[in-house]
Amino acid sequence: MIKDWKNKLYGKETSLQEKMFRLLLIMAFFAAILSVITGAVRADWNRVLLSAVLIIPVIVFCFNYMDKTHKLDMPAIIVSIILNCILLPLGFFTNHGVKGGTTGWFLVGIIYIFLVFRGKLFHIMLAMTFFVIIGIHYVAYKFPEFVIRLSGEERLYFDSVLSIVLVGCICGILIRYQNKIYAMEKEMSEQQKQEIEQLSRSRNAFFTNMSHEIRTPINTIIGLNEMTLRENISDEIAENSINIQNASKMLLTLINDILDMSKIESGKMEIVPVQYETGAMFSDLVNIIWIRAYEKKLEFKIDIDEDIPSMLYGDEVRIKQVLTNILSNAVKYTKKGSVTLSAQSEKIHSNRVRLRISVSDTGMGIRKEDIDNLFHSFSRVDEEKNRGVEGTGLGLAISKQLTEMMGGKITVDSIYTKGSVFTITLDQQIVDGKPIGSMDFMLKRKVIHREQYKQRFEAPDAKVLVVDDNEMNRLVASKLLRSTKVQLDMAASGKECLEMTRHKLYHVIFMDHMMPEMDGIETLKQIRMQENGLCKDVPVVALTAHAMSGAEQIYMEKGFQGYLPKPINGALLEAVLLKYLPEELIEASIDAEELLEERKTIKLISEGRKKAIAITTDCVSDLPLEWLLAYDIKSMYYYVHTNKGSFCDVKEISSDNLLRYLETEGNTAHSECPSISEYENFFANALEDAESVIHISITSRASKGYETALSASTGFGNVKVIDSGHLSSGMGIMVMFAAQLAKEGCSQEHICKSLKELRERISTSFIVPSPENLYRNGKINKTVRNVCEVLDLHPVLALKQKEMVCSTMKIGRIDHAYKSYIRQEMKNKKIDKRLLFITYAGCSVKTLEAIKKEVEKYIHFEKVVFQKASASISSNCGLGAFGLIYMKKK
């Protein structure tokens, strides 16, 4: 039993709170026993009764309750109430009040609460104790007759000394006990730490030995297998060899992941910065990933900013490792569509640049609830669907930690079932600021499967010239065309090409683009203008890995007759040659167009350059279409619900159609924002053209659009939703202001800060001829509507504190009400005269001209824009409503 009690006071299973509570109960139990004994000796039967009937049974109950239920709160509350609300107040009034020794015991009650309670219960019990202490002192002060005074000075001093000694002993015992518990836990913690360190050392030693032992035989397997593949072997043996090769490489990748995670966790992973060529790094990445994408019949798109410095200082090995992991995942989890590698740079200092590299795919995407677990070790999201995908679940965890060790960050934007975008941001030191220019990736075609070669044609009399500065490329081309028996010549430069075309007639010329001294485009120009040249009209085909948007169209515009991307596909190369050779030279052929269809499966396309920031908004921003197109501003539709169905605002219903519909009595309409999933798709599409998005939403107090867009944005790392605080063209002014700042290259933070300042300077108001629509949409009650109709009142709605409120009423004929409203608005001396929106719903041309004429009586604006309100806005305002929307001066 003693051992059991010792375990409960010092054991690991018991919490510190419970240990302290049990100790206090033990001390209270012995104090109660002592109280019974001393009370019996002194014939103080009240004390004996209190201790024997109340205190001891409560203590026994608390012990039994905790042993059975393992719960602390209920017994702790009972003890606190008995101690602080019954015993101590009773002792205070029966023991000379403030002059007695009971006041010191209140300290024990307060310490008890601090030791035993946590959270909300702690605050409740502490407040209750203070209330009791203050209450009894107040009662003793106001009603001194309630206090029983001790007889004799000696008894008062004795009681005071006894209280001090006992309270001091209790506090001392608690402190010593707590220190002992902390010392035991510290010793236990140190012991566990040593065990963990020993386990970590053992694990690292095991992984290191395992790596060495496994790499040695795998290296032999891969090496000998490669020699087998080079031999003239059967298809079955070749297939087995390729499977061995792929499995061996996968095993090496898994081992590397486990070793890297082990190094990171043990703190032995080091970042080793060196000078590196950015072009070579991206070329290596493309060479690694292209073949994997090809195997799955995926398009691999490349978009590398030409302004990235050609040489940087950083850990190239780790950067490539991070990007390879993310690119490999993109290929693994994408069943159809494409994978895109994009890279942009931003100079942040005279000798530093910020690289922003993104990998996007059209794969299965990631659920919002899984994104937080994405970078955890050994974690794989959507395990059931991804059961057939190889990997340890370590790649992204390693990538995130390596990126953070290099001072960068990884963000992910994803729509489930639509695809994902991973963005890596890294700051690197500039070694050579010269831009890399257009990249010519040397993609090395690897064996994917062994197909029996089918000869397309023979043309022994055809003369073909291949122009490429790279000897290996020329060798590849010559081997691929060897079976066609064409007469093939090689030129290592544009200058050599011109010399050869001056003396010999070729039937087709294959021309590389990126060559030193004279590139392919300039060489083509010289061929066409060559004096006495024999190849002025000969078809020239661009044979290059130059990655850019619409490459084929661009080369056609430069004068090339055809375009083939590298790595060179032998069948396509023959098909293009067959297409441009004169028919009389062909001895045997098949349909060239059929072969050219193969190109679709291996096409390398460079995405159009992404802009840094895209500004988006809702269709209720009421802006001219030409402005939206000029600044490439995408807008999200709203729904307009009517008795006849729901329609997309602007796309499927206009304000004119809606107002005609509302003229019929009984017809109603109201607007509603899109759903979260619709906003998610909208943001995903916007991020295809931009690195980040700023979405300017309608004021949060007029619609749920802001809240919905904000919820949708949580699944994206690069989407910022702004509450415009306005609606209609007031919101539109903010959109155009943001678009202009984005066009000027301002940062997202600067744009958001500027919008916050602009929001306070915009004035948005409308005059509503009839309150009927406001009543139908619940903006005003029936009484207000009836009063307006009887007194011929016309509400003026103004936006204040993000909410549209009725600021005033105009009385009388509608034309007089219009004039009064215009006069009220235009007399504001703080108006910025550069721009005025007259946003209207169902106003005639004559009415609009009259409004403009009335405005010009007061202010001549540099630009006045008549803008038809969207159906969503019109559904609330009704026919004949218009608003004057402008900016105020700073």
Side-chain angles (χ1 to χ4, degrees), residues 418-438:
K418 298 288 185 181
S420 305
V421 180
F422 286 81
T423 303
I424 300 97
T425 306
L426 283 171
D427 293 350
Q428 300 283 278
Q429 190 172 328
I430 300 173
V431 177
D432 186 350
K434 180 182 176 183
I436 57 173
S438 297

Side-chain angles (χ1 to χ4, degrees), residues 457-602:
F457 67 93
E458 289 183 3
D461 295 328
K463 299 179 180 64
V464 178
L465 175 64
V466 175
V467 185
D468 200 309
D469 63 306
N470 187 287
E471 184 180 357
M472 187 59 64
N473 287 345
R474 299 195 300 271
L475 179 62
V476 169
S478 66
K479 290 195 173 189
L480 290 175
L481 293 175
R482 181 166 51 192
S483 61
T484 64
K485 298 182 180 179
V486 298
Q487 300 176 29
L488 198 62
D489 288 340
M490 300 289 176
S493 65
K495 185 177 180 182
E496 186 178 346
C497 168
L498 293 175
E499 187 66 28
M500 296 173 76
T501 55
R502 183 178 288 112
H503 300 101
K504 187 174 181 179
L505 172 65
Y506 293 98
H507 298 104
V508 177
I509 299 174
F510 288 102
M511 181 80 68
D512 183 27
H513 178 190
M514 302 300 295
M515 296 185 293
E517 297 180 6
M518 185 185 298
D519 66 16
I521 295 174
E522 181 60 30
T523 304
L524 175 61
K525 289 181 182 178
Q526 295 296 327
I527 290 173
R528 299 303 185 216
M529 298 186 299
Q530 195 173 37
E531 189 175 350
N532 300 323
L534 302 177
C535 300
K536 287 184 178 182
D537 301 318
V538 169
V540 180
V541 178
L543 186 62
T544 177
H546 185 39
M548 55 184 169
S549 178
E552 185 168 6
Q553 183 180 351
I554 291 172
Y555 282 115
M556 294 297 185
E557 292 172 355
K558 295 294 182 182
F560 289 90
Q561 275 67 46
Y563 164 76
L564 265 181
K566 294 177 183 176
I568 304 169
N569 177 275
L572 291 179
L573 181 64
E574 288 187 10
V576 171
L577 180 58
L578 177 62
K579 182 178 179 179
Y580 293 108
L581 280 177
E583 290 184 8
E584 60 271 15
L585 298 177
I586 308 300
E587 294 187 0
S589 69
I590 62 173
D591 188 4
E593 295 299 327
E594 180 184 338
L595 293 172
L596 287 172
E597 285 297 313
E598 295 179 26
R599 180 174 179 176
K600 293 179 181 178
T601 62
I602 60 168

Side-chain angles (χ1 to χ4, degrees), residues 659-786:
L659 292 171
R660 281 196 295 270
Y661 164 80
L662 290 174
E663 286 177 355
T664 303
E665 189 174 351
N667 285 348
T668 60
H670 69 277
S671 60
E672 185 183 26
C673 68
S675 65
I676 291 176
S677 61
E678 288 173 305
Y679 267 115
E680 287 175 340
N681 288 330
F682 177 70
F683 292 147
N685 291 334
L687 284 170
E688 289 180 1
D689 303 319
E691 295 296 328
S692 61
V693 171
I694 297 177
H695 181 77
I696 301 172
S697 182
I698 190 172
T699 174
S700 55
R701 295 191 179 181
S703 164
K704 292 183 179 179
Y706 170 72
E707 294 177 8
T708 308
L710 190 64
S711 298
S713 70
T714 57
F716 301 89
N718 300 325
V719 176
K720 179 77 172 176
V721 178
I722 302 292
D723 181 357
S724 69
H726 288 269
L727 46 73
S728 189
S729 299
M731 173 183 167
I733 291 175
M734 295 188 67
V735 172
M736 294 308 303
F737 181 76
Q740 182 61 39
L741 291 179
K743 189 176 181 180
E744 292 171 1
C746 296
S747 66
Q748 190 180 64
E749 292 77 12
H750 177 74
I751 294 173
C752 293
K753 183 179 178 182
S754 300
L755 287 175
K756 189 176 179 181
E757 295 172 357
L758 178 65
R759 182 167 57 201
E760 307 303 322
R761 293 172 45 213
I762 296 175
S763 174
T764 301
S765 64
F766 283 85
I767 182 169
V768 181
S770 170
E772 184 61 31
N773 282 80
L774 296 175
Y775 167 68
R776 287 178 182 176
N777 289 290
K779 306 297 182 184
I780 60 174
N781 58 39
K782 189 175 182 179
T783 303
V784 173
R785 182 199 66 173
N786 292 340

Side-chain angles (χ1 to χ4, degrees), residues 333 364-367 370 379-389 416-417:
Y333 292 102
M364 63 190 302
I366 306 160
R367 290 190 180 97
D370 290 332
S379 174
R380 301 181 73 185
V381 300
D382 219 346
E383 188 73 39
E384 188 173 338
K385 283 192 176 182
N386 298 328
R387 190 166 294 168
V389 180
Y416 191 58
T417 73

Side-chain angles (χ1 to χ4, degrees), residues 246-317:
N246 292 337
S248 301
K249 290 179 179 178
M250 177 56 67
L251 183 56
L252 276 178
T253 301
L254 299 181
I255 292 169
N256 289 336
D257 282 349
I258 294 171
L259 282 173
D260 285 342
M261 182 54 68
S262 175
K263 285 181 182 179
I264 290 171
E265 289 180 350
S266 62
K268 293 182 179 180
M269 178 67 77
E270 294 181 356
I271 299 300
V272 184
V274 295
Q275 294 182 9
Y276 66 92
E277 295 181 12
T278 49
M281 181 188 75
F282 285 119
S283 292
D284 290 345
L285 286 169
V286 172
N287 287 330
I288 292 169
I289 300 302
W290 178 85
I291 192 69
R292 301 180 189 178
Y294 178 85
E295 288 172 343
K296 294 188 70 175
K297 292 184 170 57
L298 300 174
E299 282 185 296
F300 185 29
K301 304 179 182 181
I302 306 163
D303 175 19
I304 307 298
D305 187 355
E306 297 180 6
D307 296 327
I308 295 176
S310 58
M311 186 170 286
L312 299 173
Y313 184 76
D315 194 333
E316 180 191 13
V317 173

Side-chain angles (χ1 to χ4, degrees), residues 263-452:
K263 285 181 182 179
I264 290 171
E265 289 180 350
S266 62
K268 293 182 179 180
M269 178 67 77
E270 294 181 356
I271 299 300
V272 184
V274 295
Q275 294 182 9
Y276 66 92
E277 295 181 12
T278 49
M281 181 188 75
F282 285 119
S283 292
D284 290 345
L285 286 169
V286 172
N287 287 330
I288 292 169
I289 300 302
W290 178 85
I291 192 69
R292 301 180 189 178
Y294 178 85
E295 288 172 343
K296 294 188 70 175
K297 292 184 170 57
L298 300 174
E299 282 185 296
F300 185 29
K301 304 179 182 181
I302 306 163
D303 175 19
I304 307 298
D305 187 355
E306 297 180 6
D307 296 327
I308 295 176
S310 58
M311 186 170 286
L312 299 173
Y313 184 76
D315 194 333
E316 180 191 13
V317 173
R318 296 306 171 192
I319 295 172
K320 284 166 67 174
Q321 182 179 353
V322 169
L323 293 173
T324 302
N325 274 338
I326 294 174
L327 283 164
S328 297
N329 275 354
V331 173
K332 280 195 294 186
Y333 292 102
T334 303
K335 293 182 179 179
K336 62 180 180 179
S338 64
V339 173
T340 303
L341 171 65
S342 303
Q344 286 79 38
S345 65
E346 175 190 354
K347 201 166 185 180
I348 56 175
H349 197 266
S350 58
N351 66 337
R352 290 190 72 78
V353 68
R354 179 162 294 161
L355 286 180
R356 187 175 286 105
I357 307 169
S358 63
V359 176
S360 59
D361 62 65
T362 58
M364 63 190 302
I366 306 160
R367 290 190 180 97
K368 267 200 279 191
E369 59 267 25
D370 290 332
I371 288 178
D372 291 339
N373 299 322
L374 197 60
F375 297 102
H376 291 175
S377 301
F378 302 103
S379 174
R380 301 181 73 185
V381 300
D382 219 346
E383 188 73 39
E384 188 173 338
K385 283 192 176 182
N386 298 328
R387 190 166 294 168
V389 180
E390 299 166 321
T392 59
L394 286 174
L396 287 178
I398 293 170
S399 298
K400 185 176 189 294
Q401 295 192 55
L402 286 177
T403 303
E404 290 174 352
M405 288 174 70
M406 292 186 285
K409 67 175 183 178
I410 294 182
T411 59
V412 56
D413 298 319
S414 184
I415 295 291
Y416 191 58
T417 73
K418 298 288 185 181
S420 305
V421 180
F422 286 81
T423 303
I424 300 97
T425 306
L426 283 171
D427 293 350
Q428 300 283 278
Q429 190 172 328
I430 300 173
V431 177
D432 186 350
K434 180 182 176 183
I436 57 173
S438 297
M439 294 296 298
D440 188 9
F441 294 106
M442 298 308 302
L443 301 174
K444 298 161 189 171
R445 182 76 180 276
K446 299 182 181 180
V447 176
I448 300 171
H449 50 76
R450 291 170 63 94
E451 287 186 353
Q452 188 66 36

